[in-house]
């Protein structure tokens, strides 16, 4: 299956933020997307003895048999270490597993067929027993469907009777995946101090990753989220390894007899849960844990070296606090007796909320004091808060089917903002998190191809359909529409509704209509509006509206917002409009028609401005008549504090996006950046830098760039100076949003040539070079990434070679990633060429880092053409990673007919064929955009900067 292009990009973005905490700092829970990059529909490793039949008309299991509990034995053959001992034959690594399971089920409707799921497994020794009589029921035949149903159909001689209980026993065999699916093998290295000279040795572990439909590849089961059951597991594993699972483990016990190779661990039965939440690991990991005897045992597992070095401490500390917060907030205890979290060297997604055993990528859980950026804590606390919210939303109360995945993901994302704010109040990142999520949703949902948040059940059938639900709509739009609902009914009523809903559905499955009922019941503003009919408009229609207000006559209308100005839709929403004016306190209005309708309250009095959608609590954009835009601009330049912070960021984002959709002039958007001269808050700056990125790509090789740099340099001076004392002394402000802004200020100031910024980065980097040891690197961990890059950009051969040396020396992942990025920042083409050549040598740049390294180089205007020539010359090698992202990155500046023809030639004449459709389409859009906008933008920057230099 090809990658889903847009999604792999999201993943890349999230990863960069995790490892580098880079400039844009769009810390967002996009990070938690369960995006699988490859291989989830891999073909069966073991041929089954049965044949392929045509699938039944529906892809869903019949509901005549209801599972109640499983008793599962799994033997994992994997060695965690392959010990080299002189003259002893080394065992070969074995990637197989085997086991057996008994599933007890209730018959609701008589049948002679048992349907359940099984994929890529060899199955044998089947038997069916009538539980009350104890007699066995003969099996006529069984069939594994080798199609998208993944059904295992068992045909019986006799009929199973309604109201009776039965059990099915079977044995199975399968293979560990090397692509992070189902039960997979993961590798890492460890320092071996046992010999005289320290060496690094390879270690292995096995872990599961079952969401959404991989449980069926581990053992045959009723693998649908509403087929909840209790799971009891026994793992048989090798000596000196530890097995963890959802329940509390007893053991390990020796098998007994002469067998000292194997031991087993018995886990207590899980609560009733969906199969995708089943999990276990076998590893040599160690943990940081609460004292024995605590009511709830909390442990954080990691590589023994990471645990010993204290890298799990931050995660451990916030986990307890977040759990307490949720227990109070939901008024419902976390049910299991233990909560284990484990940092895995390999995992896709970033984290998975398995009940009682949450798995994380290392970057999402491990924090290194003195090495990690302080901002990295934001990623960790946000991801933990999201996964812990799932212990309620997802684990206790689960969506009935994957079409309503947002009941898991949108809710967990939304709840996490409050948890983060409660346990790390000094971070002050709630607004930043929310804006990040809002903009991710806006971006995705403006495409004509977007889908409704709650998809029609019949459209979500195959594993492919289900995977498609893990996207920005589910995670981001889901969270944002909940925020809108909470705002209208009021936080308190909303939270009461949530509590009642959780209690009522604990252990069960829900649909969105169930949730609306509880909010309806909890809300005091009874006749105000109907929750269900209001929310259905936002969850069952794709897209979102733009509300256009003419403040001269009060005429207001709504229409769906599309980037493509020729797209059309008849969608209609009930839109809550909170608004304020320069002279009157905030007020409220429902827009329930398409319009235009005359709304007297929106008529400007005495030439004052009106601002709609206060704090962006509504999921829509706002456009105004030019006069009102002008008044808002004037207000922002005169006294920006009169406009709420979130709106200052949103006005900029709306204006740039309305310009993109051709609903306002691009000069209006640029005019809105004028007030930044006096702005020190992060959100408006973040919004501007993100939106200007496209302008920079289109123009940084043209005559527009000169005046544009002058303009940005002038705009950022105030912000740079505001933080200068901190920056010069290598300290950072208390407030995290200002910490983000400090990085942004250095980035914008230095890259646009502010002399004091360039002097500062050169000096700090030179200090490090003279001290010549990482131990005396005095650059604050927050600022390393940006200072390394800017110092290499401002420097020459010496700085570059020092960075290269440090890159080779460092064993710390985040330091290495920062340096790898910094090396791409030099302006010297001969160094960039040398760096490109290094990407062909896996001893210098690992294969998995090749695409991102080339993209870093292409991101540099001086490296763009070199990178384009380079990937064409070495396509076979460089396309091994993620060719889509690579091509998209390297061609992101393409905006001429000549570049388009080069690209088309390359795409049609290369082997393997480049996935170029996206890049071609984007180039065509760019050509058109530059043609339409270049002159007016050039004139605008020239006019703005006429008096500056
Ligand atoms: C390994 O085996 C070889 C040949 O069997 C023998 O000569 C040698 O002494 C052995 N080395 C050790 C360390 O036992
Ligand atoms: C390991 O595999 C190799 C090649 O497949 C085989 O020759 C060797 O005997 C195996 N070793 C063990 C201990 O099974
Ligand atoms: C299932 O597997 C376990 C572990 O290998 C074994 O002890 C048990 O006897 C098996 N159950 C049956 C019924 O074969
Ligand atoms: C350890 O390293 C030293 C110096 O490189 C070497 O002389 C010695 O043989 C090594 N010892 C082992 C056990 O490899
Ligand atoms: C707003 O309304 C006024 C008065 O009717 C009209 O003259 C003007 O053209 C309208 N502006 C826009 C942008 O529609
Ligand atoms: Zn999630």
């Amino acid at each position: 299956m090809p990658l889903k292009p847009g999604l792999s990009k999201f993943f890349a973005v999230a990863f960069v933020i995790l490892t580098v905490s880079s400039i844009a700092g769009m810390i967002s829970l996009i990070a938690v997307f369960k995006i699988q990059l490859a291989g989830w529909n891999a073909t069966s490793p073991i041929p089954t003895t049965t044949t392929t039949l045509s699938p039944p008309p529906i892809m869903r299991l019949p509901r005549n048999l209801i599972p109640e509990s499983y008793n599962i034995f799994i033997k994992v053959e994997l060695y965690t270490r392959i010990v080299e001992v002189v003259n002893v034959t080394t065992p070969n690594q074995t990637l197989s597993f085997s086991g057996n399971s008994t599933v007890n089920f209730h018959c609701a409707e008589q049948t002679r067929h048992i349907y359940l799921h099984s994929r890529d497994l060899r199955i044998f020794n089947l038997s069916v027993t009538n539980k009350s009589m104890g007699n066995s029921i003969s099996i006529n035949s069984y069939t594994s469907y080798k199609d998208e149903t993944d059904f295992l159909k068992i045909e019986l001689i006799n009929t199973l009777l309604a109201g009776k209980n039965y059990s099915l026993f079977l044995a199975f065999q399968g293979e560990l995946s090397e692509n992070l699916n189902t039960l997979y093998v993961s590798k890492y290295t460890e320092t071996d101090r046992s010999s005289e000279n320290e060496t690094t040795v390879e270690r292995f572990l096995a872990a599961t990753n079952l969401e959404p439909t991989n449980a069926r590849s581990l053992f045959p089961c009723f693998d649908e989220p509403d087929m909840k059951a209790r799971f009891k597991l026994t793992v048989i594993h090798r000596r000196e390894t530890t097995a963890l699972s959802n329940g509390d483990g007893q053991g390990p016990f020796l098998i007994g007899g002469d067998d000292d190779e194997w031991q087993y661990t018995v886990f207590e039965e899980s609560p009733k849960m969906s199969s995708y939440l089943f999990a276990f690991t076998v590893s040599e990991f160690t943990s940081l844990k609460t004292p024995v005897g605590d009511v709830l045992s909390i442990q954080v597992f990691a590589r023994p070296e990471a645990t010993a070095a204290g890298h799990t401490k931050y995660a451990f500390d916030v986990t307890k606090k977040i759990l307490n917060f949720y227990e109070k907030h939901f008024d419902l205890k976390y049910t299991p007796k233990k909560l284990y979290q484990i940092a895995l060297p390999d995992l896709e997604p970033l984290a998975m909320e398995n009940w009682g055993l949450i798995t994380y990528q290392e970057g999402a859980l491990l924090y290194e004091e003195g090495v990690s950026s302080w901002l990295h804590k934001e990623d960790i606390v946000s991801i933990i808060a999201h996964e812990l919210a799932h212990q309620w939303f997802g684990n206790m109360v689960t969506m009935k089917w994957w079409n309503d995945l947002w009941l898991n993901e949108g809710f967990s994302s939304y709840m996490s903002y409050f948890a983060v704010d409660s346990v790390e109040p000094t971070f002050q990142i709630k607004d930043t998190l929310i804006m990040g999520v809002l903009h991710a949703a806006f971006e995705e949902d403006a495409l004509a191809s977007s889908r409704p948040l709650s998809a029609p059940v019949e459209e979500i059938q195959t594993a492919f359909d289900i995977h498609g639900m893990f996207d920005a709509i589910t995670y981001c739009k889901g969270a944002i529409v909940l925020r809108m609902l909470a705002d209208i009914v009021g936080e308190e009523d909303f939270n009461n509704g949530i509590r009642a809903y959780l209690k009522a559905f604990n252990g069960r499955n829900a649909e969105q209509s169930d949730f609306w009922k509880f909010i309806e019941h909890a809300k005091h503003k009874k006749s105000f509006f109907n929750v269900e009919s209001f929310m259905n408009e936002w969850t069952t229609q794709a897209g979102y509206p733009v509300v256009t207000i003419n403040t001269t006559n009060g005429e207001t209308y709504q229409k769906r917002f599309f980037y493509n100005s020729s797209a059309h839709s008849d969608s209609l929403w009930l839109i809550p409009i909170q608004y304020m004016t320069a002279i009157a306190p905030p007020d409220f209005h429902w827009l329930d028609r398409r319009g235009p309708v005359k709304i007297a309250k929106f008529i400007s009095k005495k030439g004052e401005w009106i601002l709609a959608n206060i704090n962006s609590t509504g999921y829509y954009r706002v456009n105004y008549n030019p006069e009102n835009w002008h008044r808002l601009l004037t207000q922002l330049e005169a006294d920006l504090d009169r406009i709420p912070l979130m709106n200052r960021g949103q006005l900029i984002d709306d204006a740039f996006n309305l310009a993109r959709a051709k609903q306002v002039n691009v000069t209006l958007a640029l005019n809105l950046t004028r007030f930044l001269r006096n702005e020190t808050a992060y959100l408006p700056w973040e919004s501007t830098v993100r939106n200007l990125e496209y302008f920079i790509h289109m123009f940084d090789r043209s005559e527009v760039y000169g005046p544009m740099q002058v303009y940005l340099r002038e705009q950022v001076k105030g912000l740079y100076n505001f933080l200068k004392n901190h920056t010069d002394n290598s300290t950072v402000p208390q407030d995290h949003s200002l910490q983000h802004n400090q990085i942004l200020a250095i980035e914008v100031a230095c890259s646009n040539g502010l002399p004091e910024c360039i002097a500062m980065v050169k000096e700090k980097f030179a200090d490090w070079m003279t001290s010549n040891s990482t131990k005396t690197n005095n650059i604050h961990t927050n600022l390393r990434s940006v200072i390394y890059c800017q110092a290499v950009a401002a420097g020459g051969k010496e700085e570059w070679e020092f960075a290269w040396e440090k890159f080779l020396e460092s064993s710390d992942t985040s330091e290495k990633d920062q340096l790898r990025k910094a090396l791409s920042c030099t302006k010297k083409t001969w160094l960039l060429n040398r760096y490109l050549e290094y990407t062909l040598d896996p001893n210098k740049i690992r294969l998995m880092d090749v695409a991102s390294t080339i993209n870093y180089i292409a991101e540099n205007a001086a490296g763009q053409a070199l990178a384009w020539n380079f990937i064409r010359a070495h396509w076979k090698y460089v396309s091994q990673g993620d060719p889509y992202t690579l091509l998209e990155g390297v061609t992101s500046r393409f905006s001429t007919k000549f570049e388009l023809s080069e690209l088309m030639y390359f795409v049609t004449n290369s082997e393997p064929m480049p996935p170029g459709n996206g890049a071609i389409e984007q180039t065509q859009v760019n050509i058109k955009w530059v043609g339409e906008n270049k002159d007016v933008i050039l004139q605008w920057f020239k006019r703005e900067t006429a008096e500056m230099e």
Side-chain angles (χ1 to χ4, degrees), residues 16 55 102 151 202 465-466 477 539 569 636 718 806 861 869:
V16 167
T102 308
F151 282 169
E202 204 163 44
D465 301 336
I466 294 168
K477 184 177 182 177
T539 60
S569 146
L636 283 166
K806 287 286 161 200
N869 289 334

Side-chain angles (χ1 to χ4, degrees), residues 478-499:
I480 289 299
V481 299
L482 285 175
R483 175 170 176 258
M484 177 164 71
L485 177 61
D487 185 67
I488 301 168
V489 301
E491 256 346 297
E492 199 176 316
D493 289 353
F494 182 80
N495 288 336
N496 285 333
I498 291 266
R499 289 178 195 125

Side-chain angles (χ1 to χ4, degrees), residues 221-267:
C221 56
F222 296 84
D223 198 11
E224 293 189 6
D226 68 340
M227 300 285 231
K228 287 190 173 185
R230 293 182 305 275
F231 295 81
K232 185 168 179 10
L233 172 69
T234 303
V235 176
I236 298 128
H237 49 111
R238 298 208 184 256
R239 220 156 45 106
E240 282 160 15
T241 62
T242 304
L244 306 172
S245 183
N246 306 86
D248 206 7
Q250 297 288 316
F253 305 107
L254 288 172
I255 296 282
D258 297 338
D259 196 342
D260 61 354
E261 176 61 34
W262 296 100
Q263 54 183 8
Y264 63 99
T265 304
V266 184
F267 296 95

Side-chain angles (χ1 to χ4, degrees), residues 544-548 557-559 561 621-623 658 663:
Y544 58 91
V546 49
V547 172
T548 305
Y557 65 91
Q558 59 165 297
K559 64 175 185 191
F561 180 78
R621 294 192 185 277
V622 187
N623 194 1
L658 289 165
Q663 299 184 27

Side-chain angles (χ1 to χ4, degrees), residues 327-599:
E327 288 190 332
K328 278 208 200 83
H329 194 67
F330 301 143
D331 189 28
L332 191 58
K333 287 276 178 210
Y334 170 79
T335 20
K337 278 186 284 183
K338 64 172 256 282
L339 172 58
Y340 290 179
Q341 302 180 94
I342 184 166
L344 296 171
D346 301 286
L347 174 70
E348 264 167 38
L350 285 178
M352 176 60 213
E353 69 264 20
N354 318 298
W355 213 346
L357 177 61
I358 310 175
T359 49
Y360 295 85
Q361 283 184 10
E362 289 196 340
L365 208 60
L366 303 185
Y367 184 82
E368 293 180 57
E369 218 55 68
V371 177
S372 303
S373 160
W374 290 11
L375 300 173
H376 188 73
K377 285 188 177 173
E378 292 177 6
D379 296 325
I380 295 173
V381 70
S382 303
I383 294 169
I384 295 178
H386 176 99
E387 300 309 322
L388 291 188
H390 272 310
Q391 308 302 306
W392 285 262
F393 292 95
N395 300 9
M396 291 188 196
V397 181
T398 316
M399 74 269 146
K400 212 166 238 164
W401 181 244
W402 298 104
N403 67 312
D404 268 339
L405 179 61
W406 81 280
L407 294 180
N408 275 12
E409 299 301 345
F411 276 73
S412 295
S413 297
Y414 179 69
M415 295 305 161
S416 70
Y417 314 142
F418 297 91
V420 170
D421 210 38
S422 147
V423 306
E424 291 289 14
T426 64
F427 286 5
Q428 307 226 349
I429 53 166
K430 193 162 133 205
D431 292 353
T432 314
L433 287 172
I434 289 170
M435 284 303 254
V437 169
L438 175 65
H439 292 150
F442 269 164
E443 173 102 23
E444 190 84 359
D445 215 11
L447 303 174
S449 59
S450 187
R451 63 165 181 86
L453 176 57
S454 176
V457 178
E458 59 282 3
E459 281 176 23
I460 308 302
Q461 293 286 324
T462 63
F464 181 82
D465 301 336
I466 294 168
H467 273 263
M469 295 300 290
F470 291 86
D471 66 0
I473 300 298
T474 291
Y475 282 77
C476 303
K477 184 177 182 177
I480 289 299
V481 299
L482 285 175
R483 175 170 176 258
M484 177 164 71
L485 177 61
D487 185 67
I488 301 168
V489 301
E491 256 346 297
E492 199 176 316
D493 289 353
F494 182 80
N495 288 336
N496 285 333
I498 291 266
R499 289 178 195 125
Y501 164 77
L502 283 173
K503 283 199 184 78
F505 283 90
N506 190 357
R508 301 200 290 140
N509 295 73
E511 292 174 306
Q512 61 172 15
S513 57
D514 296 319
F515 178 65
W516 308 144
K517 291 193 187 88
F518 282 87
I519 299 298
E520 184 68 52
H521 188 73
K523 95 174 156 35
H524 279 93
K525 305 170 185 169
K526 289 290 179 226
S527 58
F528 190 45
F529 71 108
N530 178 275
V531 172
E532 175 147 17
S533 58
F534 167 67
M535 286 304 287
N536 275 343
E537 291 180 358
W538 298 91
T539 60
T540 62
Q541 300 188 97
Y544 58 91
V546 49
V547 172
T548 305
I549 302 175
N550 184 343
T551 61
T552 308
N553 57 9
E555 272 190 4
T556 303
Y557 65 91
Q558 59 165 297
K559 64 175 185 191
R560 182 167 164 196
F561 180 78
F562 290 111
Y563 284 133
N564 181 346
S565 51
S566 56
H568 175 78
S569 146
D570 286 328
S571 301
L572 175 68
W573 289 269
L574 176 58
I575 304 175
I577 303 180
Q578 301 205 48
Y579 66 97
M580 62 195 275
T581 72
I583 46 178
D587 204 346
F588 183 87
H589 184 85
W590 284 112
L591 179 62
D592 58 355
R593 273 172 289 166
R594 196 163 289 119
V597 285
K598 250 192 167 58
I599 300 171

Side-chain angles (χ1 to χ4, degrees), residues 73-75 99-102 125 169 236:
F73 292 83
I74 295 182
K75 181 175 186 179
N100 60 54
S101 75
T102 308
N125 288 355
F169 172 88
I236 298 128

Side-chain angles (χ1 to χ4, degrees), residues 15 56 160 273 298 401 469 613 620 654 726 757 800 847 854 881 888:
F15 188 72
L160 303 182
M273 67 180 190
I298 295 177
W401 181 244
M469 295 300 290
N613 202 8
Y620 57 91
D654 279 347
H726 279 299
C757 179
W800 196 88
L847 190 55
I854 296 173
E888 206 188 21

